[in-house]
Amino acid sequence: MSSNQLEQNQTEKEMPFNVVIAITGFFGGLFWSLISYLAFYLNFSRVGPALVLMPWALGDWKNTWIGQLVSIGIISVLSIGIAFGYRLIFVKINKPWPGLLYGVGLWGFIFIILNPVFPGLKPITSLDINTLVTNLCLFAVYGLFIGYSISYEYHERTVHEGETIQS
């Protein structure tokens, strides 16, 4: 037997579902917060990723590009928890709509409910239309990415492979 035939006989070990969720959350947060920074840099939005640092008195560096990059890292880590939140609520629905709604709900939670926590964030009625639309769309596609990725993986593992995943 050649080594090529031996490789074909070996089965690939899958990552545990929770690891897939964590990776999806981390890279979803990383990618979409980078896109958010690009939108902020190009003046599509007055709110960048550094919003996450606003509640803490850390000095003026948090408003510079270094603060934006540190915030991107923080958002990437927080996004893991957001991904597990999606798993708890919507994982069994293998459609794009729950993820889209999850992202819009997350936007509402941050920009409306948590607005008083962020001292530099104007009330939603005072934000310009470009900032509102840009951030709403970014959160929607972020939720779509997280949600559909996790639901699709769950569906593939349970329906096609017959794996049992604890809810």
Side-chain angles (χ1 to χ4, degrees):
M1 278 190 155
S2 70
S3 65
N4 193 20
Q5 287 176 330
L6 290 175
E7 287 178 18
Q8 289 177 349
N9 291 337
Q10 293 177 351
T11 58
E12 184 179 317
K13 276 202 134 188
E14 279 191 357
M15 286 187 280
F17 187 56
N18 286 339
V19 173
V20 172
I21 292 171
I23 290 171
T24 302
F26 181 83
F27 284 105
L30 178 66
F31 179 77
W32 291 108
S33 59
L34 282 169
I35 298 297
S36 173
Y37 178 58
L38 180 64
F40 173 75
Y41 182 76
L42 296 174
N43 294 319
F44 286 107
S45 173
R46 297 188 189 274
V47 178
L51 175 71
V52 77
L53 295 176
M54 277 188 189
W56 293 280
L58 299 172
D60 288 337
W61 68 269
K62 70 181 178 183
N63 297 320
T64 65
W65 65 273
I66 294 172
Q68 299 288 347
L69 292 179
V70 168
S71 298
I72 289 169
I74 292 169
I75 291 169
S76 298
V77 172
L78 290 174
S79 183
I80 296 170
I82 292 168
F84 277 101
Y86 183 89
R87 180 192 193 269
L88 289 174
I89 301 169
F90 296 118
V91 72
K92 293 182 180 182
I93 306 171
N94 191 27
K95 303 247 185 274
W97 298 110
L100 196 69
L101 294 174
Y102 190 71
V104 170
L106 189 60
W107 175 86
F109 180 71
I110 291 169
F111 280 82
I112 297 170
I113 296 172
L114 290 183
N115 189 289
V117 174
F118 303 110
L121 183 62
K122 295 178 185 176
I124 195 166
T125 55
S126 300
L127 290 172
D128 63 287
I129 192 71
N130 289 338
T131 298
L132 288 173
V133 170
T134 300
N135 283 294
L136 182 61
C137 290
L138 285 172
F139 273 84
V141 293
Y142 164 73
L144 180 66
F145 174 82
I146 294 289
Y148 202 56
S149 298
I150 292 170
S151 292
Y152 179 80
E153 182 69 21
Y154 179 84
H155 180 76
E156 286 296 306
R157 288 175 181 237
T158 56
V159 173
H160 292 292
E161 298 173 14
E163 186 178 330
T164 303
I165 298 174
Q166 295 176 354
S167 295

